[in-house]
Amino acid sequence: MCGIFGCISEEALEKILDGLKRLEYRGYDSVGIAIINNNEIIIRKNKGKLNEFIENLDLNNIKSNIGIGHTRWATHGAPSKENAHPHTDCSGRIAIVHNGVLENFLQLREELIKKGHKFSSKTDSEIIAHLIEDFVNSGLSFKEAIKNTFKILKGSIACAIISTMEPNKIICYRRESPLVIGISNKGVFCASDIPALLPYTKNIAVVPEDKIVILEENKVHAEDLNGEICKLEYNEIPWNLELAEKSGYPHFMIKEIFEQPRAISDTLKIPLIYIDRAIEYLENKKVYLTGSGTSYHACLFGSYLASHLLSMDMRPIISSEFIETLSLFDNSTVIAISQSGETADTLNAIRYAKSKGAKIIGITNTLGSSITNLSDVYICTQSGPEIGVAATKTFLTQLISIILLFLRFGLKKGKINEIDYNKLIDEVNNIPKITEEILKKSDKIRDIALKYSLKQNAYFLARGINLVTALEGALKLKEISYIHAEGYPAGESKHGPISLIEPGFLCVFIAPRDNTREKIIGNIMEMKARGAEIFSIITEGDEEIKEISDEYFEVPFVNYILYPILCTIPLQLFAYYTAVFKGLDPDRPRNLAKSVTVP
Ligand code: M6R
């Protein structure tokens, strides 16, 4: 939820601020830095966004070649200057930044207060600095004090620490929360996510679970909490810097929407070996799908697809409800979907399923994330980094991955014949071209968004597999434009929701030319009869639905299983333009963060 950046490099402060800019999507309610100058730790922090922080930064040209920074999404303690990271010990010799949640901090904090420690914030994180100080005071070396601290702390942790006791080092530790390391001739770096390191290196290693990593000028060393040395595995990241920058677009969200043809095309090139390895875990298994938010919508898509293509029942379960919902895991596989690979709810569902003997197929956009470590086998979508808080390109590539997985499984198991398989694969391969065509018509959606941007409420209604699009369209609109939006099965709308309809109420219908169309027309008429304003996503040339809609957007005719991909795009654009017309920042919606690492 928070972003950490640290470096040992020339002009460290400038690099820390640039790193935090690239991590701001992870949290943006407060920000802070700590640098070492003349063997003194200098801290600046405040509530608010990074730009304001930089404008007011009063460092009078102080130079430093070592420091850490943090951008926060509040969990314990409201957004405020006191609660912003970095936090220090009583003596001011140790500064820490932390991402995660400490479960046993209350009890430890009380013990430390009794020993005389003075806390300045309401955060759980501050305890890290005081615990280290306490162990140092008891005679341990700085490194041993850090190890003992992490041995007793429970919860999720990504942490970077500097100290005047060892002013040439940054010591990092990771458990459950993400942290990566990079090294090049420009310096040594640590960060919560890869995009922050791309200006300096593509040679990046994920900090292994439960290890400390010590950064020094030109060298990096890793060991476990018992002192056993471990090797870091560096990978050459294929992303270029452009993917992590706005490249002329006003926001990441719109850039990422327009990147979808490329992201889909790259995902279609996933080597078959990955798909085939995953298939082994589907054979003769009871299969569940789990994810959160947009990724849950991908699970729902998987469930419809399994039933239609494979005649298999696969239950989709929202990750935060997973443990409450399931108890029996006989011969089961869980397909866990998460673009970040770090969502706490999804990781908890995975751990629970594994503890009951289930196998895990992970689908994620983040190689080296926790989900890739926890899964028996994983498929990595090829979206490139997604910085906008709203999931867009990663959602479409999740759908593509599921299609590839189930089509191939269907072919292997004789549930889909070769002719149908080839026909469908040809259609899927054509999707990047079709999505480009849809994006060329973005102006039409902009006009529709302008017309409806002052609405207070909207229903997104659909039937069958298109319900996935309705739920996703509603989530996108509500999360970035703050319009109350609900996705609903159109058939169910008569059983309660229709009572809210009055003249001018916006109803968005996902009504492509498939077997749901006739019934959807009936639902449109019901809403229209009560004065609702109708905006329909339809198949090209559907004059009948055009006639009964106030606004419409056309997508090309495709096999019905592909409509959720095509019909989602205009709704992403609709949400984006609505937010922009309302003067909101679509990349940083209030109260949200890109990866939700708290349960
Ligand atoms: O990283 P994940 O896919 O696990 O994230 C799950 C949700 O938090 C995420 O999809 C969220 O709903 C999106 N911001 C919606 O746009």
Side-chain angles (χ1 to χ4, degrees):
M1 300 303 262
C2 304
I4 290 176
F5 188 90
C7 69
I8 304 175
S9 173
E10 271 176 24
E11 305 199 319
L13 177 63
E14 286 74 2
K15 292 192 172 95
I16 295 166
L17 295 174
D18 181 76
L20 293 182
K21 215 175 268 171
R22 294 171 195 277
L23 292 170
E24 215 186 356
Y25 68 90
R26 300 180 63 85
Y28 31 84
D29 60 43
S30 41
V31 58
I33 56 108
I35 51 175
I36 299 185
N37 178 270
N38 283 335
N39 214 26
E40 187 197 340
I41 293 183
I42 298 171
I43 298 210
R44 294 290 184 273
K45 56 185 188 175
N46 216 338
K47 183 181 166 182
K49 295 200 173 137
L50 184 67
N51 276 349
E52 300 150 30
F53 176 77
I54 295 176
E55 270 167 31
N56 298 316
L57 202 56
D58 56 331
L59 280 172
N60 301 328
N61 294 326
I62 291 176
K63 294 274 173 219
S64 170
N65 68 348
I66 181 165
I68 52 179
H70 188 268
T71 168
R72 180 169 188 248
W73 186 89
T75 54
H76 296 69
S80 69
K81 183 172 178 177
E82 294 68 39
N83 292 334
H85 299 217
H87 293 292
T88 56
D89 64 323
C90 299
S91 69
R93 288 181 302 168
I94 301 163
I96 67 101
V97 288
H98 166 234
N99 170 29
V101 173
L102 302 175
E103 288 158 13
N104 55 342
F105 85 101
L106 272 178
Q107 169 214 337
L108 290 167
R109 184 179 158 116
E110 263 171 38
E111 287 167 19
L112 286 170
I113 289 172
K114 277 188 200 140
K115 284 180 163 182
H117 286 264
K118 300 255 176 304
F119 282 78
S120 340
S121 76
K122 299 236 171 340
T123 64
D124 53 345
S125 310
E126 188 184 348
I127 195 157
I128 300 173
H130 290 278
L131 276 173
I132 299 171
E133 177 183 37
D134 209 61
F135 282 120
V136 169
N137 290 347
S138 74
L140 292 187
S141 71
F142 181 46
K143 188 165 95 178
E144 288 310 311
I146 289 175
K147 286 183 183 172
N148 276 22
T149 296
F150 292 125
K151 275 182 191 168
I152 60 172
L153 280 172
K154 293 193 181 134
S156 52
I157 305 168
C159 187
I161 306 157
I162 54 170
S163 171
T164 52
M165 288 178 275
E166 305 216 14
N168 302 322
K169 290 181 185 164
I170 299 177
I171 302 191
C172 303
Y173 172 78
R174 171 190 179 211
R175 186 197 305 152
E176 291 179 21
S177 295
L179 199 62
V180 292
I181 299 290
I183 181 162
S184 71
N185 56 9
K186 293 179 181 153
V188 285
F189 306 86
C190 63
S192 297
D193 202 358
I194 296 167
L197 300 189
L198 290 178
Y200 315 110
T201 180
K202 288 186 179 180
N203 195 25
I204 287 169
V206 173
V207 176
E209 261 313 274
D210 208 20
K211 303 286 182 291
I212 66 164
V213 176
I214 302 168
L215 311 185
E216 285 179 85
E217 198 180 343
N218 300 326
K219 64 175 186 204
V220 175
H221 160 95
E223 58 186 68
D224 69 15
L225 296 184
N226 298 317
E228 189 140 330
I229 292 173
C230 74
K231 207 170 164 286
L232 288 169
E233 274 182 35
Y234 286 91
N235 284 305
E236 187 70 13
I237 301 296
W239 299 347
N240 57 33
L241 188 54
E242 221 180 47
L243 275 175
E245 295 192 325
K246 286 189 199 153
S247 310
Y249 285 90
H251 299 102
F252 279 110
M253 183 176 174
I254 190 72
K255 173 180 178 254
E256 287 160 0
I257 291 174
F258 273 83
E259 273 172 4
Q260 293 184 115
R262 197 272 313 142
I264 293 172
S265 172
D266 286 354
T267 302
L268 286 170
K269 292 180 201 133
I270 292 174
L272 277 181
I273 180 170
Y274 287 99
I275 309 282
D276 287 344
R277 281 208 317 238
I279 282 173
E280 284 171 33
Y281 290 93
L282 292 177
E283 300 221 36
N284 306 317
K285 298 274 189 196
K286 177 111 192 79
V287 182
Y288 301 97
L289 299 122
T290 194
S292 308
T294 293
S295 293
Y296 168 73
H297 299 156
C299 294
L300 189 63
F301 176 77
S303 167
Y304 277 107
L305 205 64
S307 140
H308 289 221
L309 279 186
L310 309 171
S311 306
M312 277 174 81
D313 286 335
M314 293 189 190
R315 192 162 155 203
I317 302 173
I318 288 176
S319 294
S320 57
E321 290 297 317
F322 194 87
I323 296 172
E324 303 297 330
T325 310
L326 286 182
S327 55
L328 287 178
F329 283 90
D330 288 347
N331 206 20
S332 300
T333 287
V334 175
I335 302 178
I337 306 180
S338 167
Q339 80 76 26
S340 62
E342 301 293 350
T343 297
D345 289 329
T346 309
L347 298 182
N348 286 343
I350 295 174
R351 290 191 188 101
Y352 173 69
K354 273 175 84 104
S355 74
K356 300 274 179 182
K359 297 291 177 199
I360 311 293
I361 300 175
I363 298 183
T364 183
N365 194 46
T366 318
L367 192 65
S369 59
S370 300
I371 208 173
T372 58
N373 296 331
L374 288 169
S375 300
D376 293 282
V377 57
Y378 62 82
I379 296 171
C380 222
T381 54
Q382 300 297 308
S383 300
E386 187 175 73
I387 314 280
V389 163
T392 53
K393 59 179 178 173
T394 54
F395 176 59
L396 294 201
T397 57
Q398 287 170 348
L399 302 192
I400 291 287
S401 310
I402 295 168
I403 292 174
L404 292 180
L405 178 63
F406 288 2
L407 274 182
R408 195 142 170 93
F409 179 63
L411 178 72
K412 287 213 160 174
K413 297 306 299 168
K415 292 174 188 252
I416 303 173
N417 67 46
E418 212 162 323
I419 297 172
D420 288 346
Y421 174 84
N422 287 331
K423 226 167 114 194
L424 268 166
I425 285 288
D426 282 350
E427 280 213 58
V428 175
N429 284 331
N430 207 21
I431 289 287
K433 214 170 117 236
I434 301 178
T435 51
E436 261 171 30
E437 294 306 314
I438 291 175
L439 287 165
K440 281 187 192 151
K441 298 192 293 180
S442 63
D443 280 358
K444 165 136 196 185
I445 291 289
R446 201 181 48 204
D447 295 345
I448 297 173
L450 182 58
K451 177 172 170 187
Y452 293 137
S453 57
L454 295 179
K455 294 279 178 209
Q456 305 279 325
N457 300 289
Y459 281 151
F460 285 68
L461 302 170
R463 286 174 170 262
I465 204 165
N466 300 314
L467 178 61
V468 172
T469 314
L471 295 176
E472 179 58 10
L475 176 62
K476 283 296 87 95
L477 187 69
K478 97 176 87 180
E479 75 175 321
I480 61 164
S481 78
Y482 314 152
I483 290 175
H484 167 239
E486 276 186 75
Y488 232 90
E492 186 68 7
S493 60
K494 299 184 293 291
H495 300 285
I498 200 166
S499 69
L500 283 184
I501 302 297
E502 56 185 12
F505 193 109
L506 179 60
C507 285
V508 181
F509 279 91
I510 296 76
R513 205 175 268 286
D514 61 13
N515 66 344
T516 67
R517 181 176 169 279
E518 294 311 314
K519 286 203 172 110
I520 272 282
I521 289 177
N523 298 129
I524 295 177
M525 296 313 289
E526 285 155 16
M527 294 301 179
K528 209 176 155 58
R530 288 157 180 84
E533 194 114 8
I534 310 293
F535 166 28
S536 304
I537 310 293
I538 59 172
T539 302
E540 270 166 10
D542 192 334
E543 300 305 325
E544 195 182 345
I545 302 191
K546 278 187 202 173
E547 217 26 50
I548 55 174
S549 303
D550 297 286
E551 294 293 344
Y552 62 86
F553 185 87
E554 294 171 282
V555 300
F557 179 79
V558 285
N559 185 299
Y560 77 97
I561 64 163
L562 302 177
Y563 278 125
I565 297 177
L566 304 192
C567 297
T568 295
I569 299 170
L571 299 185
Q572 295 169 338
L573 290 165
F574 182 61
Y576 171 77
Y577 287 122
T578 304
V580 170
F581 286 132
K582 290 182 75 175
L584 302 168
D585 178 354
D587 284 345
R588 290 178 298 187
R590 70 183 170 210
N591 304 334
L592 289 175
K594 183 70 181 162
S595 55
V596 184
T597 52
V598 288

Short mmCIF file of all heavy atoms in Angstrom, two decimals, residues 291-296 337-343 346 389-392 398 472 475-476 479 592-596, ligand 1:
data_model
loop_
_atom_site.label_atom_id
_atom_site.label_comp_id
_atom_site.label_asym_id
_atom_site.label_seq_id
_atom_site.Cartn_x
_atom_site.Cartn_y
_atom_site.Cartn_z
N GLY A 291 -10.09 -13.85 -6.56
CA GLY A 291 -9.43 -12.58 -6.83
C GLY A 291 -10.21 -11.47 -6.14
O GLY A 291 -11.28 -11.72 -5.56
N SER A 292 -9.71 -10.25 -6.23
CA SER A 292 -10.38 -9.11 -5.59
C SER A 292 -10.64 -8.04 -6.65
O SER A 292 -9.85 -7.89 -7.59
CB SER A 292 -9.49 -8.50 -4.51
OG SER A 292 -9.04 -9.49 -3.64
N GLY A 293 -11.69 -7.26 -6.45
CA GLY A 293 -11.97 -6.12 -7.33
C GLY A 293 -12.04 -6.55 -8.78
O GLY A 293 -12.72 -7.52 -9.15
N THR A 294 -11.31 -5.84 -9.61
CA THR A 294 -11.30 -6.15 -11.04
C THR A 294 -10.85 -7.59 -11.29
O THR A 294 -11.38 -8.28 -12.17
CB THR A 294 -10.37 -5.16 -11.76
OG1 THR A 294 -10.98 -3.86 -11.67
CG2 THR A 294 -10.18 -5.51 -13.21
N SER A 295 -9.89 -8.04 -10.51
CA SER A 295 -9.41 -9.42 -10.72
C SER A 295 -10.50 -10.43 -10.39
O SER A 295 -10.54 -11.52 -10.97
CB SER A 295 -8.17 -9.69 -9.86
OG SER A 295 -7.11 -8.90 -10.32
N TYR A 296 -11.40 -10.08 -9.47
CA TYR A 296 -12.54 -10.97 -9.22
C TYR A 296 -13.44 -11.01 -10.47
O TYR A 296 -13.98 -12.06 -10.82
CB TYR A 296 -13.35 -10.51 -8.00
CG TYR A 296 -14.66 -11.26 -7.92
CD1 TYR A 296 -14.69 -12.61 -7.54
CD2 TYR A 296 -15.85 -10.64 -8.28
CE1 TYR A 296 -15.89 -13.31 -7.53
CE2 TYR A 296 -17.05 -11.34 -8.27
CZ TYR A 296 -17.06 -12.68 -7.90
OH TYR A 296 -18.24 -13.38 -7.91
N ILE A 337 -6.15 -14.92 -9.12
CA ILE A 337 -5.84 -13.87 -10.10
C ILE A 337 -5.56 -12.56 -9.37
O ILE A 337 -6.34 -12.12 -8.54
CB ILE A 337 -7.02 -13.70 -11.09
CG1 ILE A 337 -7.37 -15.05 -11.72
CG2 ILE A 337 -6.68 -12.67 -12.16
CD1 ILE A 337 -8.51 -15.01 -12.72
N SER A 338 -4.43 -11.94 -9.71
CA SER A 338 -4.08 -10.65 -9.09
C SER A 338 -3.05 -9.96 -9.96
O SER A 338 -1.98 -10.51 -10.20
CB SER A 338 -3.49 -10.90 -7.70
OG SER A 338 -2.89 -9.73 -7.21
N GLN A 339 -3.38 -8.75 -10.44
CA GLN A 339 -2.40 -8.08 -11.30
C GLN A 339 -1.11 -7.80 -10.52
O GLN A 339 -0.03 -8.03 -11.00
CB GLN A 339 -2.96 -6.81 -11.96
CG GLN A 339 -3.03 -5.52 -11.15
CD GLN A 339 -1.74 -4.81 -10.95
OE1 GLN A 339 -0.81 -4.95 -11.76
NE2 GLN A 339 -1.62 -4.06 -9.87
N SER A 340 -1.24 -7.34 -9.27
CA SER A 340 -0.04 -6.99 -8.49
C SER A 340 0.66 -8.22 -7.94
O SER A 340 1.85 -8.20 -7.68
CB SER A 340 -0.44 -6.08 -7.32
OG SER A 340 -1.32 -6.78 -6.45
N GLY A 341 -0.13 -9.26 -7.71
CA GLY A 341 0.42 -10.45 -7.06
C GLY A 341 0.68 -10.22 -5.59
O GLY A 341 1.32 -11.04 -4.93
N GLU A 342 0.19 -9.11 -5.05
CA GLU A 342 0.49 -8.76 -3.65
C GLU A 342 -0.76 -8.48 -2.84
O GLU A 342 -0.66 -8.08 -1.68
CB GLU A 342 1.40 -7.51 -3.58
CG GLU A 342 2.74 -7.65 -4.29
CD GLU A 342 3.67 -8.66 -3.63
OE1 GLU A 342 3.35 -9.12 -2.52
OE2 GLU A 342 4.68 -9.02 -4.25
N THR A 343 -1.95 -8.62 -3.41
CA THR A 343 -3.18 -8.30 -2.68
C THR A 343 -3.33 -9.24 -1.48
O THR A 343 -3.40 -10.46 -1.65
CB THR A 343 -4.38 -8.40 -3.63
OG1 THR A 343 -4.19 -7.42 -4.64
CG2 THR A 343 -5.69 -8.15 -2.93
N THR A 346 -6.12 -11.91 -1.45
CA THR A 346 -5.90 -13.01 -2.39
C THR A 346 -4.79 -13.93 -1.87
O THR A 346 -4.90 -15.16 -1.94
CB THR A 346 -5.57 -12.45 -3.79
OG1 THR A 346 -6.57 -11.50 -4.10
CG2 THR A 346 -5.54 -13.53 -4.85
N VAL A 389 -4.23 3.75 -10.81
CA VAL A 389 -4.84 2.90 -9.77
C VAL A 389 -5.93 2.01 -10.35
O VAL A 389 -6.10 0.86 -9.95
CB VAL A 389 -5.36 3.79 -8.61
CG1 VAL A 389 -6.33 3.03 -7.73
CG2 VAL A 389 -4.17 4.26 -7.77
N ALA A 390 -6.68 2.53 -11.31
CA ALA A 390 -7.74 1.72 -11.92
C ALA A 390 -7.10 0.65 -12.81
O ALA A 390 -6.27 0.95 -13.68
CB ALA A 390 -8.66 2.60 -12.75
N ALA A 391 -7.49 -0.59 -12.60
CA ALA A 391 -6.98 -1.67 -13.45
C ALA A 391 -7.64 -1.57 -14.83
O ALA A 391 -8.87 -1.51 -14.91
CB ALA A 391 -7.27 -3.01 -12.80
N THR A 392 -6.86 -1.54 -15.87
CA THR A 392 -7.42 -1.48 -17.24
C THR A 392 -6.78 -2.57 -18.09
O THR A 392 -7.35 -3.63 -18.29
CB THR A 392 -7.22 -0.08 -17.86
OG1 THR A 392 -5.84 0.29 -17.77
CG2 THR A 392 -8.10 0.95 -17.19
N GLN A 398 -5.83 -10.41 -18.34
CA GLN A 398 -6.28 -11.54 -17.50
C GLN A 398 -7.31 -12.36 -18.28
O GLN A 398 -7.26 -13.59 -18.30
CB GLN A 398 -6.91 -11.03 -16.20
CG GLN A 398 -5.91 -10.47 -15.20
CD GLN A 398 -6.58 -9.75 -14.03
OE1 GLN A 398 -7.78 -9.46 -14.05
NE2 GLN A 398 -5.81 -9.43 -13.01
N GLU A 472 -17.57 -4.60 -14.10
CA GLU A 472 -16.30 -3.88 -14.26
C GLU A 472 -16.55 -2.42 -14.64
O GLU A 472 -15.89 -1.51 -14.14
CB GLU A 472 -15.45 -4.61 -15.32
CG GLU A 472 -14.10 -4.00 -15.63
CD GLU A 472 -13.17 -3.84 -14.43
OE1 GLU A 472 -13.47 -4.37 -13.35
OE2 GLU A 472 -12.15 -3.14 -14.58
N LEU A 475 -17.61 -0.58 -11.52
CA LEU A 475 -16.48 -0.38 -10.60
C LEU A 475 -15.57 0.75 -11.10
O LEU A 475 -15.16 1.62 -10.33
CB LEU A 475 -15.67 -1.69 -10.45
CG LEU A 475 -14.41 -1.61 -9.58
CD1 LEU A 475 -14.74 -1.23 -8.14
CD2 LEU A 475 -13.66 -2.93 -9.58
N LYS A 476 -15.30 0.74 -12.42
CA LYS A 476 -14.43 1.78 -12.96
C LYS A 476 -15.05 3.15 -12.72
O LYS A 476 -14.38 4.08 -12.30
CB LYS A 476 -14.22 1.62 -14.48
CG LYS A 476 -13.29 0.57 -14.98
CD LYS A 476 -11.84 0.72 -14.62
CE LYS A 476 -11.55 0.09 -13.29
NZ LYS A 476 -11.06 -1.27 -13.29
N GLU A 479 -15.07 4.14 -8.89
CA GLU A 479 -13.80 4.34 -8.18
C GLU A 479 -13.06 5.59 -8.63
O GLU A 479 -12.35 6.20 -7.84
CB GLU A 479 -12.89 3.11 -8.25
CG GLU A 479 -12.20 2.88 -9.56
CD GLU A 479 -11.22 1.71 -9.53
OE1 GLU A 479 -10.53 1.52 -8.53
OE2 GLU A 479 -11.16 0.98 -10.53
N LEU A 592 -7.88 5.23 -2.19
CA LEU A 592 -7.46 3.97 -2.82
C LEU A 592 -5.94 3.90 -2.95
O LEU A 592 -5.25 4.89 -2.84
CB LEU A 592 -8.07 3.83 -4.21
CG LEU A 592 -9.57 3.56 -4.25
CD1 LEU A 592 -10.07 3.58 -5.68
CD2 LEU A 592 -9.87 2.22 -3.62
N ALA A 593 -5.45 2.71 -3.19
CA ALA A 593 -4.04 2.53 -3.54
C ALA A 593 -3.98 1.40 -4.54
O ALA A 593 -4.92 0.61 -4.65
CB ALA A 593 -3.24 2.16 -2.31
N LYS A 594 -2.91 1.34 -5.28
CA LYS A 594 -2.84 0.36 -6.37
C LYS A 594 -2.86 -1.07 -5.85
O LYS A 594 -3.61 -1.89 -6.35
CB LYS A 594 -1.57 0.62 -7.19
CG LYS A 594 -1.42 -0.28 -8.39
CD LYS A 594 -2.44 0.05 -9.45
CE LYS A 594 -2.33 -0.84 -10.66
NZ LYS A 594 -3.57 -0.78 -11.46
N SER A 595 -1.98 -1.38 -4.92
CA SER A 595 -2.06 -2.77 -4.43
C SER A 595 -2.44 -2.74 -2.95
O SER A 595 -1.83 -2.03 -2.15
CB SER A 595 -0.77 -3.54 -4.68
OG SER A 595 0.31 -2.87 -4.13
N VAL A 596 -3.46 -3.51 -2.63
CA VAL A 596 -4.04 -3.45 -1.30
C VAL A 596 -3.43 -4.56 -0.45
O VAL A 596 -3.89 -5.70 -0.46
CB VAL A 596 -5.57 -3.55 -1.38
CG1 VAL A 596 -6.19 -3.39 0.01
CG2 VAL A 596 -6.12 -2.48 -2.31
O1 M6R B 1 -3.55 -6.42 -7.77
P1 M6R B 1 -4.89 -7.06 -7.76
O2 M6R B 1 -5.39 -7.42 -9.10
O3 M6R B 1 -4.95 -8.23 -6.83
O4 M6R B 1 -5.86 -5.97 -7.16
C1 M6R B 1 -7.18 -6.27 -6.82
C2 M6R B 1 -8.02 -5.03 -6.68
O5 M6R B 1 -7.57 -4.26 -5.61
C3 M6R B 1 -8.01 -4.19 -7.95
O6 M6R B 1 -8.40 -4.93 -9.05
C4 M6R B 1 -8.94 -2.97 -7.81
O7 M6R B 1 -10.25 -3.38 -7.71
C5 M6R B 1 -8.70 -2.05 -9.00
N1 M6R B 1 -8.07 -0.84 -8.58
C6 M6R B 1 -9.94 -1.67 -9.72
O8 M6R B 1 -9.67 -0.82 -10.77
#
